[in-house]
Amino acid sequence: MSKFALPGSPLSPPKKNNGGKKQPEGFFGSPWQLLLQVMVALLLVWLWQESLQRATVTTIPYSTFLDKLDKKEIIGCTITPEEIQGKMLVSAPTKKEGETKAPTPAFFRTVRVEDPNLVARLQSAHTTYSSVRPSLLSQLIFSWILPIGIFFLIWVGLTRWMTRGAGYSLLNVGKSRARLVAEEGTGVSFADVAGCQEAKYELQEVVDFLKSPARYRALGAKIPKGVLLIGPPGTGKTLLARAVAGEAHVAFFSLSGSEFVEMFVGVGASRVRDLFVQAKGRAPCIIFIDELDAIGRQRGVRIAMGHDEQEQTLNQLLVEMDGFDPNEGIIILAATNRPDILDRALLRPGRFDRQVVVDLPDVQGREAILRVHSKGKPLAPDINLQEIAHATSGMSGADLANLMNEAALLAARRKVQKVGQADLLEALEKVVAGPERRSLQLAKEEKKRVAYHEVGHALVAAATPGADPVRKVSIIPRGRGALGYTLQLPPAQQYLFTRSQLLTKIRCAMGGRAAEEIIFSEVSTGAENDLEVATTLARQMVCLYGMSESVGLAHLIPSRPGLAEVPSLDGHVEYSGETARLVDQEVQRILEKTYEEAKAILQKERKTLEEVTANLLKKETLDAAEFLALLPESAKQPLSTPQ
Ligand code: ADP
Ligand code: ZN
Ligand code: MG
């Protein structure tokens, strides 16, 4: 029943798929493909004509034709050496008896029989007749050019669709689908990338080289062949690579690692070869391989299928990287968020020997990113991006871009001219806890439980010195399964956490469940998310930070190099079963101890718990000031505002 904005806990960034922009390339790859496509189109046209004729032209015996001629039911006809075609009148059958309908014209065809009297009979019947097909041009247009055109369009459409949907076209397998972005670079400049000063500084050198390679060559300086951008998702790696091309005004080949890996063995390798051939023709230029980890995984440790394929692709990449001189003016940029799984050979000197870390933005970086993304969005005078920057610790550039957009959407919905601070705060809540779901009606008893739970969190936080101040308590349900939430925001960006600070976080997470137990003498399923947060933190304390006496000074889970991000806990275990048991015991001990502490706090402040909850049930949300006003001196914590 609670969602927290925990500093340092990476919020899942919105999945941004660059793949959507993919343009299928050259429709006609080679003369053979052209031939094949034309043949298929002709076949389809022929089939179409056949069926058309079958459907609308009635074949009648010659005798019937003569019959109709005598009855003057033949309107006109064309005589060719083989057959007679034309229009005749057919009296349509009617349902009601005695009623005759006007005869309708229909096309007919009959085999021509050698009949010397034919012309005379046609004459006497006053039928128009000729021996040439009428209007050869219209015949040609209607029966050939038009259908061929239609089929061609359908074919192009289908090919496009296939290329987009399945990610490849059978006819284009093996061709590199690197997208060539405009000659004059990408139009993105370093000014569009906020924060990441160090990364920009490193990449400036690459830009300089691409702009004036002669200066470097004259001094005999060797420019790095490859630069690897390392950082968590959404931190602007792709954006930086595009900015390098934009600043240097050079061609930019970009390809995602996953695009190399196909179902056919050898295709990836030939794509790599093709990419380098194309790039060499366009030097100076930048080759950008996004998501390098998709092809650059360590060889020999893969479990899934496609083992050989990846290995071949990677080998080809290594060969190509060795095979050119960087002074030719080609620089390879690559990006990854998993440098730990990359094959060591890729990181060797002469390949991606330069690594640039693009980390999650700090508080100034976040403010700058918010500012960049507020371009084109009129801001109200009350806007304070600094406050938002302080409140968004752990968010990536992509998260912040999304936040800014959400705020603009909310302002538009309010039908106001400018984005206000309230919109930004609302958007922040929406991003952190999901959108409000006012339609979700909770039963009275359930609502009461949610309220006690949330106030439990808030009171434990308020009563603990050093806990992040409570900014908002709410029992308006929000998306992603939150029935209520307590928003705690850190007063400032924090890079280090002490042992007691971590224990405080765990204790606050326990507050909800503790309150439920005190009031209802029974717990509910609502504390799942809290337990998840608490358990993760406790495990990190024991396994990563050496903060437990009995386990001691050990780092038990391999972390990712180069990232300030919290290492993942799903890595493989590198310790004995005995240690594992000890770790479990320690984690359990921490969780139980903090839970008891939370319960003790709430039992002492039980009266306050009741009062605040009654208020929350009435108002549904309490902001920081309202909440603090309800607290007695004993349970008050000054709300330190961000500087
Ligand atoms: P990555 O490749 O690291 O996963 P992207 O470069 O695709 O991240 O970033 C996604 C989006 O997030 C960008 O298009 C941009 O709008 C925004 N963004 C990320 N980092 C920054 C930044 N430092 N400055 C400005 N915008 C950023
Ligand atoms: Zn909770
Ligand atoms: Mg990217």
Side-chain angles (χ1 to χ4, degrees):
M1 288 183 209
S2 167
K3 292 268 166 173
F4 294 90
L6 284 172
S9 69
L11 293 149
S12 56
K15 285 261 173 325
K16 190 161 180 266
N17 187 8
N18 292 327
K21 287 181 224 141
K22 243 169 270 161
Q23 280 299 317
E25 70 161 33
F27 174 51
F28 299 119
S30 72
W32 286 111
Q33 287 167 25
L34 180 65
L35 193 69
L36 185 68
Q37 282 164 357
V38 167
M39 270 164 53
V40 173
L42 285 181
L43 186 73
L44 290 173
V45 168
W46 179 71
L47 282 174
W48 186 66
Q49 283 201 329
E50 275 296 297
S51 62
L52 196 74
Q53 297 224 331
R54 291 270 145 74
T56 54
V57 181
T58 338
T59 306
I60 51 172
Y62 192 68
S63 54
T64 317
F65 169 68
L66 291 182
D67 229 36
K68 289 210 174 257
L69 200 56
D70 290 341
K71 286 194 207 151
K72 299 209 160 74
E73 279 178 3
I74 300 292
I75 304 169
C77 64
T78 310
I79 303 160
T80 67
E82 286 89 28
E83 57 182 18
I84 300 170
Q85 291 181 6
K87 249 183 183 175
M88 62 181 181
L89 288 173
V90 188
S91 36
T94 46
K95 296 231 170 82
K96 279 182 208 158
E97 255 178 68
E99 193 185 309
T100 45
K101 237 183 170 181
T104 51
F107 291 101
F108 73 92
R109 164 163 60 184
T110 182
V111 177
R112 185 175 166 187
V113 177
E114 267 319 311
D115 184 353
N117 300 327
L118 180 62
V119 174
R121 291 179 88 154
L122 283 167
Q123 279 289 12
S124 64
H126 298 293
T127 307
T128 42
Y129 63 94
S130 66
S131 67
V132 203
R133 289 188 159 207
S135 172
L136 201 64
L137 190 67
S138 77
Q139 285 256 335
L140 197 70
I141 288 174
F142 278 103
S143 55
W144 286 97
I145 296 174
L146 198 69
I148 288 179
I150 290 171
F151 276 112
F152 184 78
L153 285 180
I154 293 175
W155 184 263
V156 169
L158 267 178
T159 317
R160 285 262 161 91
W161 179 71
M162 261 172 66
T163 323
R164 194 168 308 152
Y168 64 90
S169 144
L170 274 180
L171 302 174
N172 268 341
V173 158
K175 276 223 107 186
S176 163
R177 289 180 303 123
R179 303 178 292 279
L180 184 65
V181 178
E183 182 79 2
E184 283 298 288
T186 51
V188 181
S189 74
F190 276 155
D192 297 317
V193 191
C196 17
Q197 292 306 328
E198 300 90 347
K200 279 199 257 182
Y201 182 77
E202 295 262 345
L203 292 170
Q204 186 60 48
E205 192 181 61
V206 175
V207 173
D208 281 348
F209 169 74
L210 287 168
K211 271 184 165 167
S212 45
R215 208 174 70 221
Y216 284 79
R217 243 177 260 143
L219 287 170
K222 268 216 153 60
I223 201 79
K225 271 188 190 177
V227 179
L228 182 61
L229 302 169
I230 300 173
T235 46
K237 299 182 294 296
T238 309
L239 194 65
L240 264 171
R242 296 172 62 78
V244 171
E247 290 275 332
H249 295 288
V250 295
F252 182 71
F253 291 88
S254 107
L255 204 67
S256 173
S258 52
E259 286 175 277
F260 281 116
V261 182
E262 294 285 353
M263 56 208 278
F264 305 109
V265 173
V267 170
S270 88
R271 286 226 168 114
V272 173
R273 216 174 299 128
D274 192 64
L275 173 64
F276 277 82
V277 170
Q278 280 191 47
K280 275 175 193 162
R282 295 293 299 262
C285 68
I286 289 176
I287 296 179
F288 176 54
I289 304 175
D290 211 349
E291 295 155 48
L292 180 68
D293 40 286
I295 41 168
R297 273 166 187 277
Q298 226 155 2
R299 284 165 291 186
V301 295
R302 283 173 294 257
I303 4 145
M305 261 174 43
H307 186 276
D308 285 348
E309 165 63 2
Q310 273 187 355
E311 203 148 294
Q312 277 193 22
T313 310
L314 176 55
N315 285 338
Q316 188 63 38
L317 180 65
L318 296 176
V319 167
E320 294 288 349
M321 284 192 79
D322 289 342
F324 77 90
D325 183 354
N327 289 344
E328 279 175 50
I330 300 178
I331 288 196
I332 306 177
L333 295 183
T336 181
N337 48 17
R338 298 294 311 271
D340 54 321
I341 60 166
L342 287 184
D343 198 290
R344 292 274 162 260
L346 272 172
L347 306 176
R348 250 191 25 205
R351 288 169 188 157
F352 291 108
D353 44 5
R354 176 129 354 154
Q355 285 151 35
V356 174
V357 174
V358 188
D359 220 333
L360 288 173
D362 60 9
V363 72
Q364 276 122 30
R366 289 197 297 273
E367 196 184 331
I369 293 172
L370 285 169
R371 189 139 288 137
V372 163
H373 286 280
S374 64
K375 226 182 276 163
K377 299 182 179 75
L379 299 181
D382 74 328
I383 214 98
N384 181 354
L385 293 181
Q386 209 172 46
E387 187 192 11
I388 305 296
H390 275 293
T392 46
S393 169
M395 281 198 186
S396 69
D399 292 328
L400 293 169
N402 180 35
L403 179 71
M404 208 67 213
N405 188 50
E406 284 288 341
L409 289 175
L410 286 170
R413 198 182 297 168
R414 286 199 300 129
K415 297 201 172 68
V416 291
Q417 306 299 319
K418 300 204 160 137
V419 182
Q421 186 74 350
D423 296 315
L424 268 169
L425 286 170
E426 168 84 39
L428 177 60
E429 279 171 47
K430 198 169 160 184
V431 171
V432 172
E436 277 186 6
R437 282 168 61 194
R438 285 189 182 270
S439 59
L440 190 77
Q441 287 295 326
L442 291 186
K444 214 169 160 213
E445 198 55 25
E446 266 181 339
K447 205 161 183 171
K448 219 167 115 188
R449 187 183 274 275
V450 176
Y452 273 109
H453 179 111
E454 297 308 335
V455 175
H457 285 304
L459 276 186
V460 172
T464 314
D468 293 335
V470 174
R471 296 297 296 267
K472 192 164 184 180
V473 189
S474 164
I475 50 168
I476 297 171
R478 288 196 168 256
R480 299 195 216 128
L483 297 179
Y485 72 100
T486 307
L487 189 65
Q488 279 175 274
L489 295 178
Q493 168 85 358
Q494 222 177 332
Y495 296 96
L496 293 171
F497 293 96
T498 61
R499 187 168 184 273
S500 55
Q501 279 171 332
L502 291 179
L503 286 173
T504 299
K505 280 185 194 304
I506 302 177
R507 196 177 308 123
C508 292
M510 291 296 192
R513 188 185 165 103
E516 282 188 60
E517 199 192 324
I518 291 170
I519 302 293
F520 302 96
S521 356
E522 200 182 19
V523 292
S524 73
T525 53
E528 189 200 329
N529 182 255
D530 301 333
L531 285 180
E532 190 187 331
V533 169
T535 312
T536 308
L537 278 171
R539 196 161 271 275
Q540 285 172 347
M541 285 177 70
V542 176
C543 295
L544 302 178
Y545 310 134
M547 287 180 180
S548 127
E549 279 94 40
S550 43
V551 172
L553 299 175
H555 188 282
L556 298 175
I557 301 163
S559 61
R560 302 175 200 172
L563 297 189
E565 186 190 341
V566 180
S568 77
L569 288 167
D570 50 42
H572 57 275
V573 181
E574 279 180 341
Y575 44 82
S576 70
E578 210 164 308
T579 311
R581 205 166 310 125
L582 207 57
V583 167
D584 291 343
Q585 272 172 14
E586 273 299 287
V587 169
Q588 208 51 45
R589 200 183 57 80
I590 292 174
L591 293 179
E592 268 156 27
K593 187 163 154 279
T594 48
Y595 183 69
E596 289 309 320
E597 285 165 3
K599 222 164 112 179
I601 291 172
L602 293 176
Q603 260 155 354
K604 186 177 134 259
E605 297 290 335
R606 175 152 184 167
K607 217 174 108 254
T608 319
L609 176 64
E610 302 273 5
E611 271 170 30
V612 177
T613 305
N615 246 286
L616 179 61
L617 278 168
K618 218 163 34 198
K619 290 188 182 160
E620 292 205 321
T621 51
L622 296 175
D623 63 23
E626 289 170 323
F627 173 66
L628 284 181
L630 290 168
L631 297 187
E633 279 311 311
S634 64
K636 206 178 269 186
Q637 247 268 113
L639 176 74
S640 45
T641 40
Q643 294 312 311

